[in-house]
Amino acid sequence: MALEACPNETGVEEQQLPRSTASLIFPFASQNFFKTLSSLKRSTLSISNRLVSIHRDSLFVQKVADHYNLPLVANERCGSWYIHPDHKAGSAYFKSTDGHPGQWSFSTRRLNLQILPISEKHGGYECIVVDSTRRGKSMPDALSKTIPIWCSAVVGASEHSQIEARLDAFVSSAKLLELDLSILRRQISVQLRPFFLTPDCPYPDIPANASYHPIICLTASHRVHGEENSENNYIQGAGDDSEGWSHGLTPALFWQHRESLMSATEGELPSLIGRLTASNPQPSQMTAATLIHPTTSIYIGPLSSIASESWDAVTICNTTNPCANSTTTTTTTTPPRTKTLHLPVPQGKAGSRALRSHLHLLPPFLHAIFQSTSPTATLKILFTCPTGTDLAVGTALVALCLLFDNQGKRHRSKDPPAKASEAVETVEKIDKAFIRRRMAWITTAKADARPSRETLQAVNTCLIGR
C-alpha cells in the first residue's frame, strides 16, 4: 500500500510512517505470510520430528535409570513413550490437574499405591516416575506438585506454604478411606521424599543409606524457551496428547518398529502407521480380571476376560452381548433368572448417562445369585465392559456399596431390595464418603480403574439419588 501524505507545520507534505506491521505488507501478501508461518509450525510439529524427539528424550531417561539403578514407572499416558517396554516396571496415574495452582488435591480416585510394590521388588520403595510436558514449563504439575502431595498423604507425616497448609486435610482424606495400610506402614517406616530432575539440571545426590525412600520425578524433555522451530526441530513433550498426532500409533508399536518408523519420510508415516496398527492389533487391556479385595468374589475386567475363567455371574456393560447364545436378562423389570446380566449401554459419556436407567437391575440380579448358593460358598462374579476401566468399575462399585459389608462379606437377606436404600443391612449411611471408601477398594486393587465423572454421577444417582 502507498504511504499517506500529510502537511507539516510549514505546509509541506510529508509521507506518514506506517503504524503497524500489517500495513507494511500488501493484504494478499499478509495472508500468504501467515499461511507460511502456519505451514512452518505444522512441519516442525510433524510426526517424524516428534518420534525423533521422543527417542532423544528416551536416551536421557535410560541414562538416569542406569545412574540410579532404579525401576522406571511411566506416568500415563505420556510417560510410556519415553520408556522402552523392556525397561518399564509399571504405570502410575498422577494427574497434573491435582497439582494446578490453587487446586491442589489428594485424589482418592487415583491412589497409585501400585507403584510401592513395584519399587519393593527392586530392593526398596524407590523408583523413577517419568513424564513430560509441552513448551512453556520445565516440569508438569503432576511431578512437581501432585507427587509431593501424594508422598505426604500416603505416609502421613508463596505456593509451597499454601500446599503445606492443606497437607493435614489431604492426610485426613486418605484416612477417611479406612484402608488397611498397616502392612504398608510397617514396610515403609521412613518418609517418601520426591526429588526432581530434568535434562537441564544436575543429578540430585541421594545418599546410599538415606533415612527416606526417594521418588525421583523425572521430566524426559529439555525445556524449549523459544518457538517450536528454534531448536533444530526438537519438540518438547513430543509424546503428550498423542491422540492428536499419532494416527493410532502406540508407545508399544513405536518401540517395536522404531527403526522403520524413524527412517520413513513424513509423507510415508501415516500409511506406514496404518499398516502397523492393522497388522499388530494391540489389546487395550489385559485379558485377566482383577479381584477386588477385601471381597473374595468381585472381579473387574475387559470383555475378553469373560472367556478367561468360569464365572458364577457376569454383568456386561456393552451395546452387544458377547454371551448372546445364552439366556440373558436385559433391561426389564422382571427378576433375573440367569447368571448373565446384559446392560446394553454404549461407551463414553452417552453410556455413562444411559447406565443410570439400568443400574436398578443389579441388586436383584445379584441377590438371586446369593440366595441360590451357600453363605460360605466362594462365588466369582465378573463386572465387565470393553476396557474394564470405566462402566465395569461403576457397576462393581454399586454392588460393593449395596451388597457387601465393611469386611467385604456379602449381605444375605430373604427378599431382594426394592430400592437402593434398602439393600444394605448396615447402620452406615450411604453418602459420598461411603462411596469413596468402597471406590478405594477398587483403586487399590486395580490401578488402571478410571471411571469417568459421568459414570460416578450415575453411581451417585443410583445410591443416594443425587
Side-chain angles (χ1 to χ4, degrees):
M1 61 180 285
L3 298 181
E4 298 179 2
C6 62
N8 59 17
E9 294 179 354
T10 62
V12 179
E13 290 188 347
E14 292 182 347
Q15 287 185 325
Q16 190 177 42
L17 295 175
R19 297 181 180 179
S20 67
T21 304
S23 65
L24 289 172
I25 306 171
F26 290 103
F28 291 112
S30 177
Q31 294 176 14
N32 291 334
F33 175 72
F34 288 109
K35 285 182 180 179
T36 301
L37 286 181
S38 298
S39 177
L40 287 172
K41 184 174 181 179
R42 284 195 301 271
S43 65
T44 301
L45 297 176
S46 64
I47 302 175
S48 55
N49 284 347
R50 287 183 182 276
L51 298 183
V52 170
S53 300
I54 288 170
H55 183 250
R56 166 183 156 174
D57 292 342
S58 72
L59 298 177
F60 168 68
V61 169
Q62 190 56 50
K63 183 179 178 182
V64 173
D66 293 340
H67 177 82
Y68 289 107
N69 192 28
L70 291 177
L72 292 170
V73 175
N75 195 37
E76 303 293 2
R77 293 167 299 181
C78 182
S80 282
W81 287 98
Y82 301 97
I83 306 174
H84 191 287
D86 292 344
H87 303 149
K88 179 180 172 181
S91 296
Y93 301 89
F94 295 103
K95 290 194 68 175
S96 284
T97 51
D98 293 331
H100 284 174
Q103 300 179 27
W104 309 290
S105 175
F106 171 73
S107 175
T108 57
R109 292 168 52 191
R110 295 174 291 274
L111 293 176
N112 286 300
L113 298 180
Q114 76 281 358
I115 73 172
L116 297 175
I118 291 172
S119 304
E120 183 186 19
K121 291 178 182 177
H122 290 78
Y125 292 94
E126 305 163 358
C127 66
I128 301 171
V129 181
V130 180
D131 202 350
S132 187
T133 189
R134 290 174 292 179
R135 185 172 58 90
K137 57 172 61 177
S138 60
M139 181 171 287
D141 288 338
L143 297 186
S144 63
K145 308 290 173 52
T146 306
I147 289 182
I149 290 171
W150 176 84
C151 288
S152 298
V154 167
V155 178
S158 95
E159 188 175 38
H160 290 250
S161 61
Q162 293 177 53
I163 294 176
E164 188 176 49
R166 300 188 185 189
L167 286 180
D168 288 342
F170 297 153
V171 173
S172 298
S173 296
K175 289 180 177 178
L176 287 175
L177 297 178
E178 298 182 357
L179 294 172
D180 183 8
L181 299 179
S182 56
I183 297 177
L184 177 65
R185 293 189 186 282
R186 285 196 299 269
Q187 293 172 332
I188 307 179
S189 57
V190 296
Q191 291 184 339
L192 299 174
R193 179 176 296 183
F195 288 82
F196 307 100
L197 180 58
T198 76
D200 305 309
C201 64
Y203 291 6
D205 183 21
I206 302 175
N209 298 316
S211 59
Y212 49 79
H213 295 300
I215 302 293
I216 299 178
C217 302
L218 175 61
T219 300
S221 301
H222 158 72
R223 181 173 184 177
V224 174
H225 292 277
E227 295 297 323
E228 283 89 353
N229 60 356
S230 62
E231 297 201 14
N232 196 26
N233 295 328
Y234 171 77
I235 301 174
Q236 179 183 347
D240 202 12
D241 293 332
S242 58
E243 62 274 9
W245 60 264
S246 65
H247 292 267
L249 184 68
T250 63
L253 272 180
F254 164 67
W255 285 104
Q256 184 180 353
H257 302 279
R258 177 176 59 84
E259 292 184 1
S260 60
L261 286 164
M262 294 182 64
S263 63
T265 65
E266 182 66 21
E268 295 169 338
L269 278 170
S271 59
L272 174 58
I273 292 172
R275 292 194 299 273
L276 292 176
T277 54
S279 59
N280 296 273
Q282 299 290 312
S284 59
Q285 303 291 333
M286 295 184 297
T287 298
T290 302
L291 173 63
I292 306 302
H293 295 289
T295 79
T296 58
S297 57
I298 297 299
Y299 293 77
I300 301 175
L303 292 176
S304 56
S305 63
I306 295 175
S308 66
E309 295 188 43
S310 177
W311 305 102
D312 295 292
V314 178
T315 297
I316 302 167
C317 297
N318 193 45
T319 50
T320 60
N321 181 8
C323 302
N325 292 331
S326 62
T327 304
T328 60
T329 297
T330 56
T331 51
T332 65
T333 57
T334 58
R337 295 171 294 177
T338 66
K339 295 183 178 181
T340 303
L341 176 66
H342 176 217
L343 306 181
V345 294
Q347 296 305 291
K349 292 183 179 180
S352 297
R353 290 192 292 266
L355 193 62
R356 300 186 185 201
S357 61
H358 300 308
L359 283 174
H360 70 281
L361 295 172
L362 185 60
F365 170 74
L366 292 179
H367 178 85
I369 301 296
F370 291 168
Q371 288 297 305
S372 65
T373 60
S374 167
T376 59
T378 300
L379 299 176
K380 298 182 71 174
I381 303 172
L382 174 65
F383 293 84
T384 183
C385 66
T387 64
T389 61
D390 184 12
L391 299 175
V393 173
T395 52
L397 179 57
V398 170
L400 292 173
C401 289
L402 294 181
L403 301 171
F404 290 82
D405 63 21
N406 291 334
Q407 286 70 48
K409 300 184 182 299
R410 53 189 170 105
H411 293 297
R412 189 174 179 85
S413 59
K414 294 182 179 179
D415 301 311
K419 55 184 179 179
S421 60
E422 298 175 1
V424 181
E425 298 175 359
T426 176
V427 296
E428 275 200 87
K429 175 185 177 182
I430 294 185
D431 54 16
K432 290 185 177 180
F434 180 90
I435 296 171
R436 281 195 293 269
R437 289 197 292 273
R438 291 295 190 266
M439 183 64 199
W441 291 1
I442 297 177
T443 54
T444 301
K446 185 174 174 60
D448 63 343
R450 297 187 301 277
S452 67
R453 183 178 300 275
E454 290 76 14
T455 295
L456 292 177
Q457 287 174 346
V459 171
N460 287 341
T461 298
C462 173
L463 297 176
I464 56 181
R466 295 181 183 176

